[in-house]
Amino acid sequence: MIRAVITGTGSALPARRVSNAQLAETVDTTDEWIVERTGIKFRHIAGPDETTATLAADAARAAIAAAGCTAQDIDLIVLATATPDQTFPSSATKVQAMLGIDDAVAFDVAAVCSGFLYAVQVADSMIRAGSARRALVIGSETFSRILDWEDRATCVLFGDGAGAIVLEGQESAGAPDDRGILAVRLHADGRHNGLLYVDGGPSTTGTVGKLRMKGREVFRHAVTNLATVLSETMAVAGLDASAIDWLVPHQANARILDATAKKLGLSPDKVVVTVDSHANTSAASVPLALDTAVRDGRITRGDLIVLEAMGGGFTWGAAVARF
């Protein structure tokens, strides 16, 4: 059978790095308050010349280089974002142009913080169906552009950035020890729209709007949903949680990461944590954390990794892969 194998990872962050202390100069908050409740210490904020598409293109270039291929080898680009450069066309097509790719399938997916998992599922399905051979899967966000900087409960939580992977179709035996994507499970429940959303849009207010969130309720749903979907996806892959080498979770809140690992009986040492350095970068969160752990040598070839996320919608999902 054909498996979609991760052959390269990459990431990009805006040049401006903002500490909690710097944020406290303009927002009614403190470093202690933010760290105690979220674990966040720094975030990166996009400058005027940095956009979702430019960050995505930089992350894509790094992933392509790591994969040992060229941009012209890419025939599919799936970009997960809730903060596109324009209402249309897709930011994926802008990335395509920036990379100098003459022809490829290119489109965006919108599932907020779960967007990268949704994009992985789409690319994996297209590769296994023979519709693509080598795909760029990207998560990129500039959430700083939709934050209400007077709402200290939300503006301290988010940052900007991008992460990318190259997925390549390769022949495999169809066994649990294959390299590549082994299982993906996705969910959505639109009844919870009012707990995490943006209060604007082209067909409602005609404006971009600002992010709104009821943090306590989101936290409760996140811990339950993530633990459940992780167990579900491992079962589909035919593997036990004890086989996990690395959990690469959505980096929303250090307390959610701790609670999810505890529910699964996973050692904290097996959880990749970057929320302290990047804050919540929505769809970019998982690929940013993955690239960080690959480049610092923690994740190596043959490791079993689990990616998971939950975001507005609610949407949530998980993917099991052998790196």
Side-chain angles (χ1 to χ4, degrees):
M1 66 179 296
I2 298 295
R3 294 278 196 198
V5 176
I6 302 172
T7 57
T9 67
S11 59
L13 291 164
R16 184 185 172 207
R17 184 174 186 243
V18 179
S19 68
N20 291 341
Q22 290 172 303
L23 199 60
E25 294 174 4
T26 55
V27 177
D28 182 19
T29 189
T30 65
D31 174 67
E32 293 77 16
W33 189 91
I34 298 171
V35 172
E36 179 184 348
R37 287 162 177 78
T38 70
I40 296 167
K41 299 178 181 177
F42 299 93
R43 76 282 296 141
H44 290 253
I45 303 296
D49 297 326
E50 294 170 318
T51 71
T52 290
T54 65
L55 292 169
D58 286 343
R61 291 185 186 99
I64 289 169
C69 62
T70 70
Q72 294 302 327
D73 295 321
I74 301 298
D75 53 12
L76 171 64
I77 303 171
V78 188
L79 194 161
T81 187
T83 53
D85 283 22
Q86 300 164 273
T87 301
F88 74 87
S90 70
S91 293
T93 58
K94 295 189 71 175
V95 171
Q96 176 192 1
M98 290 176 190
L99 298 179
I101 300 173
D102 298 331
D103 187 20
V105 176
F107 56 92
D108 293 353
V109 298
V112 204
C113 301
S114 308
F116 184 74
L117 274 300
Y118 273 65
V120 165
Q121 172 75 299
V122 170
D124 176 49
S125 298
M126 291 181 69
I127 287 172
R128 288 189 291 107
S131 300
R133 181 171 179 270
R134 193 177 280 111
L136 261 176
V137 184
I138 309 167
S140 185
E141 302 281 18
T142 46
F143 253 52
S144 61
R145 307 263 160 84
I146 59 169
L147 297 178
D148 179 351
W149 290 99
E150 294 183 357
D151 179 4
R152 70 169 187 165
T154 60
C155 71
V156 302
L157 304 178
F158 296 90
D160 303 331
I165 62 174
V166 173
L167 285 178
E168 181 180 323
Q170 296 182 5
E171 292 280 352
S172 72
D177 59 352
D178 289 344
R179 286 190 71 205
I181 307 298
L182 303 179
V184 184
R185 282 295 177 269
L186 303 174
H187 296 276
D189 186 347
R191 294 173 298 174
H192 303 293
N193 180 285
L195 299 183
L196 177 54
Y197 66 101
V198 167
D199 61 1
S203 75
T204 52
T205 64
T207 63
V208 173
K210 299 297 182 184
L211 182 145
R212 306 299 176 195
M213 180 173 69
K214 296 180 180 178
R216 185 170 298 177
E217 290 89 342
V218 173
F219 181 97
R220 179 171 55 84
H221 283 277
V223 173
T224 300
N225 291 345
L226 291 175
T228 300
V229 76
L230 280 168
S231 298
E232 175 192 359
T233 312
M234 289 297 291
V236 172
L239 296 165
D240 187 79
S242 61
I244 298 173
D245 291 304
W246 293 101
L247 174 62
V248 187
H250 171 50
Q251 307 289 317
N253 184 305
R255 292 190 298 164
I256 294 177
L257 304 187
D258 292 342
T260 303
K262 187 174 181 179
K263 268 184 169 287
L264 289 168
L266 279 180
S267 167
D269 295 338
K270 291 187 174 184
V271 181
V272 176
V273 178
T274 59
V275 67
D276 56 329
S277 300
H278 301 154
N280 183 346
T281 54
S282 187
S285 175
V286 170
L288 259 173
L290 175 61
D291 184 56
T292 298
V294 169
R295 292 182 183 269
D296 68 20
R298 277 178 287 175
I299 294 178
T300 58
R301 181 164 177 166
D303 282 354
L304 187 73
I305 62 174
V306 179
L307 317 177
E308 56 86 351
M310 188 188 107
F314 287 138
T315 61
W316 66 99
V320 177
R322 196 168 299 280
F323 188 70

